[in-house]
Amino acid sequence: MKVLFHVNESERWPRVLLNTTNFIKDVGSGKAEIEIVANGEGVSGYVEQANPDLMTKMGELAEDGVKFAACRNALNMHDISEQSLPSFVKVVPAGITEIVNKQAAGFAYIKP
Amino acid sequence: MKVLFHVNESERWPRVLLNTTNFIKDVGSGKAEIEIVANGEGVSGYVEQANPDLMTKMGELAEDGVKFAACRNALNMHDISEQSLPSFVKVVPAGITEIVNKQAAGFAYIKP
Amino acid sequence: MKVLFHVNESERWPRVLLNTTNFIKDVGSGKAEIEIVANGEGVSGYVEQANPDLMTKMGELAEDGVKFAACRNALNMHDISEQSLPSFVKVVPAGITEIVNKQAAGFAYIKP
């Protein structure tokens, strides 16, 4: 099973992380490839000081194999430096390209 | 044709049901497999007392072959008992798993 | 690469056009098939007087090969005449059918 979650509003992060957690509980740890792609204002969720609880939860999911990506265009637009991101976040040149490529590779798309 | 609609906010139900109705009008009754999956706060739309008009419309669509699913995690979180649901609603262990499986089975994904 | 953007709220248009622009910058002009389908209240974005800046941007993207579609049901519901639409907008009988068909034809689905 392969699934990509798309986040472009930071207020959606709690919902996305809950969806991801419940999905893993249902199918079993390690049974699915999961990637969460943030673009637009959604990349604000990766600012640790603003969201310590979210960041803790993201870190736990990352340890469980969930991949996190951030759109470079969005980081630039929101004045977030790549160096400030947690180490588990992969920066991609354009979030939309990442989403298109993943769907072409068989990932289901979910917009929570 | 196969299509899955995803509802995670109850305010979106009127739009989803209108989309579904117009789609069926366009392609013809019985010409498409249609499933509507509610998770998160979207499952509140299945509470009959709160939404009698929506429920009537859902029932008509169900008679026309549209499938309705509810995420058990979301039902629990919103204190909605499975026994209170209309008979045409199928409860699934996790809404996200249902969405992933349907896309893998060739269903288009639409988030109204 | 093939991608379909779905717009059903007119406030989302600036985001959709920015996503499209950044995507084209990333992959290169002419390297992807891109279609933007508006239904529901999203078709209001095609009313030129209301959105002159958006319309200019849409026109530029259309010249670069991006396709724009409007749902006829939605146009009727919002009292927008087909004759009033810019020439680059294609009217389809039902937006949902267009979205389903494009996904069946291998287009990635993105809901900004």
Side-chain angles (χ1 to χ4, degrees):
Chain A
M1 302 177 96
K2 297 191 272 191
V3 56
L4 179 146
F5 292 94
H6 178 201
V7 187
N8 64 354
E9 296 166 297
S10 56
E11 52 137 3
R12 304 274 165 154
W13 272 108
R15 198 184 299 187
V16 172
L17 299 181
L18 180 64
N19 285 171
T20 303
T21 302
N22 283 335
F23 176 61
I24 292 173
K25 270 186 202 158
D26 187 46
V27 301
S29 180
K31 297 296 187 195
E33 286 183 61
I34 304 171
E35 178 161 326
I36 303 176
V37 177
N39 74 341
E41 197 269 323
V43 296
S44 302
Y46 289 141
V47 177
E48 183 151 18
Q49 310 91 292
N51 312 283
D53 292 348
L54 280 184
M55 198 62 64
T56 301
K57 184 69 198 161
M58 285 183 200
E60 289 167 9
L61 289 168
E63 286 199 9
D64 204 17
V66 176
K67 297 207 167 68
F68 291 84
C71 172
R72 181 169 289 134
N73 294 312
L75 293 173
N76 290 341
M77 179 170 278
H78 292 84
D79 287 322
I80 300 170
S81 78
E82 299 188 24
Q83 289 70 32
S84 73
L85 298 175
S87 59
F88 57 75
V89 177
K90 168 183 72 170
V91 177
V92 296
I96 298 298
T97 310
E98 180 76 2
I99 295 171
V100 172
N101 284 336
K102 287 294 173 186
Q103 286 191 62
F107 278 66
Y109 171 88
I110 296 182
K111 180 80 188 305
Chain B
M1 302 176 95
K2 298 190 272 191
V3 57
L4 178 146
F5 292 94
H6 178 200
V7 188
N8 63 355
E9 296 166 297
S10 56
E11 52 137 2
R12 305 275 166 154
W13 271 108
R15 198 184 299 186
V16 171
L17 299 181
L18 181 64
N19 285 171
T20 304
T21 302
N22 283 336
F23 176 61
I24 292 173
K25 270 187 200 156
D26 187 46
V27 302
S29 180
K31 296 297 186 195
E33 286 183 62
I34 304 172
E35 178 162 326
I36 303 177
V37 177
N39 74 342
E41 197 270 322
V43 296
S44 302
Y46 289 140
V47 177
E48 183 151 17
Q49 309 90 294
N51 313 282
D53 292 348
L54 280 184
M55 198 61 64
T56 302
K57 184 68 198 162
M58 285 184 201
E60 290 167 8
L61 289 169
E63 286 199 10
D64 204 16
V66 176
K67 297 208 168 68
F68 291 84
C71 171
R72 181 170 290 134
N73 295 311
L75 293 172
N76 290 341
M77 179 170 277
H78 292 84
D79 287 322
I80 301 170
S81 77
E82 298 188 25
Q83 289 70 31
S84 74
L85 298 175
S87 59
F88 56 77
V89 177
K90 168 184 73 169
V91 177
V92 297
I96 298 299
T97 311
E98 180 76 3
I99 296 172
V100 172
N101 284 336
K102 288 295 173 186
Q103 286 191 62
F107 278 67
Y109 172 88
I110 296 182
K111 179 80 188 302
Chain C
M1 301 176 95
K2 298 191 272 191
V3 56
L4 179 146
F5 292 94
H6 177 200
V7 187
N8 63 354
E9 296 166 295
S10 56
E11 51 136 3
R12 304 275 166 154
W13 272 109
R15 198 184 301 188
V16 171
L17 299 181
L18 181 63
N19 286 171
T20 304
T21 303
N22 283 336
F23 176 60
I24 293 174
K25 270 187 201 158
D26 187 46
V27 301
S29 180
K31 297 295 187 195
E33 286 184 62
I34 303 171
E35 178 162 327
I36 302 176
V37 177
N39 74 342
E41 196 269 324
V43 296
S44 301
Y46 289 142
V47 177
E48 182 150 19
Q49 310 90 292
N51 313 282
D53 292 348
L54 281 184
M55 198 62 65
T56 301
K57 183 69 198 161
M58 285 183 201
E60 289 166 8
L61 288 168
E63 286 199 8
D64 204 17
V66 175
K67 297 208 166 69
F68 291 84
C71 171
R72 181 170 289 132
N73 294 312
L75 293 172
N76 290 341
M77 179 169 278
H78 292 84
D79 287 321
I80 300 171
S81 78
E82 298 188 24
Q83 289 69 32
S84 73
L85 298 176
S87 59
F88 57 77
V89 177
K90 169 183 72 169
V91 177
V92 296
I96 298 298
T97 310
E98 180 76 3
I99 295 172
V100 172
N101 285 336
K102 288 295 172 186
Q103 286 191 63
F107 279 65
Y109 172 87
I110 297 182
K111 179 79 189 301

